[in-house]
Amino acid sequence: MVPRDILILPDKRLRQVSDPVKKIDAGIRKLVEDMFESMYDAPGIGLAAIQIGVPKRVITMDLAKKEEAKNPLVFINPEVVWTSEEKATYEEGCLSIPEYYDDVERPAQVKVKYLDLEGKRQEVVANGLFATCLQHEIDHLNGVLFIDHLSKLKRDRVLKKFTKAAKRAAV
Ligand code: K1U
Ligand code: ZN
């Protein structure tokens, strides 16, 4: 299997709101396979389907450390149903904004309901990097990028740098 290209800022498709999955069929299972292939190849710890150009509400994730066994996770139609008052700050990165990292403050814990690959309703309470990564990926499903949580000055700087790079690559 060949990893799919990951969309890079300022690709407009990254700003699209993704559609809910109506039926978990062979097409969705193939999409999930392609997403894991692309995520592990990048490498990354999470991926939203829109990052490979598919506007569907599907997320893959694997937070296992290098020395640990793989722990592939799939979230279909995820919804945040509760967030803690407590906040946590993590240095985030994004495969669609390569080599740029910055601190983002988000709720420290979240409760998310979603469908698994068998179409079964699930609920998880996440904290630590799991909570951050879930919120980062759910943001992607809504066309939101982690730089949107930074100051306008920082966001504009990043956007300018990536817009210039895209223009240079196009000639
Ligand atoms: O959504 C994405 O673009 C994936 C992103 C997820 C993420 C990272 C950090 C905080 C929140 C969300 C990444 O995977 S960036 C790459 C990365 O963090 C990483 C890559 C290899 C090993 C360990 C981490
Ligand atoms: Zn991202």
Side-chain angles (χ1 to χ4, degrees):
M1 216 183 301
V2 182
R4 307 256 291 259
D5 286 342
I6 291 176
L7 306 185
I8 303 294
L9 190 75
D11 194 307
K12 285 192 167 57
R13 289 170 287 179
L14 290 168
R15 292 310 192 171
Q16 241 179 287
V17 177
S18 295
D19 298 322
V21 172
K22 289 198 185 115
K23 187 166 181 256
I24 299 171
D25 56 13
I28 294 295
R29 288 190 287 275
K30 171 74 168 67
L31 169 64
V32 167
E33 268 181 40
D34 286 359
M35 287 174 66
F36 276 120
E37 185 76 13
S38 310
M39 185 186 85
Y40 286 127
D41 179 72
I45 56 174
L47 194 74
I50 191 59
Q51 291 180 277
I52 57 165
V54 181
K56 291 192 190 297
R57 300 186 83 81
V58 179
I59 290 168
T60 55
M61 199 180 292
D62 192 334
L63 301 177
K65 298 196 177 79
K66 260 189 195 161
E67 64 279 10
E68 295 172 348
K70 278 185 176 177
N71 183 28
L73 304 171
V74 180
F75 304 88
I76 298 171
N77 298 342
E79 277 175 54
V80 177
V81 293
W82 171 82
T83 58
S84 64
E85 289 290 320
E86 186 195 347
K87 307 284 181 198
T89 300
Y90 270 89
E91 188 179 67
E92 298 194 17
C94 182
L95 298 174
S96 297
I97 313 174
E99 290 166 40
Y100 181 76
Y101 302 88
D102 215 329
D103 284 348
V104 177
E105 186 189 77
R106 299 182 186 268
Q109 287 100 31
V110 287
K111 189 195 272 190
V112 172
K113 66 174 194 181
Y114 63 97
L115 297 177
D116 65 21
L117 206 43
E118 278 71 52
K120 207 171 150 212
R121 278 194 291 272
Q122 303 283 358
E123 208 166 73
V124 68
V125 178
N127 57 54
L129 180 59
F130 187 22
T132 291
C133 198
L134 263 174
Q135 291 173 81
H136 177 116
E137 301 308 335
I138 292 171
D139 269 358
H140 273 303
L141 304 183
N142 295 321
V144 175
L145 301 171
F146 86 91
I147 54 169
D148 299 334
H149 296 279
L150 306 177
S151 68
K152 183 171 169 4
L153 182 71
K154 278 188 177 180
R155 185 168 58 250
D156 287 350
R157 258 191 217 150
V158 176
L159 198 54
K160 195 170 166 189
K161 182 179 159 199
F162 279 82
T163 304
K164 260 190 185 173
K167 279 188 183 144
R168 272 200 305 272
V171 290

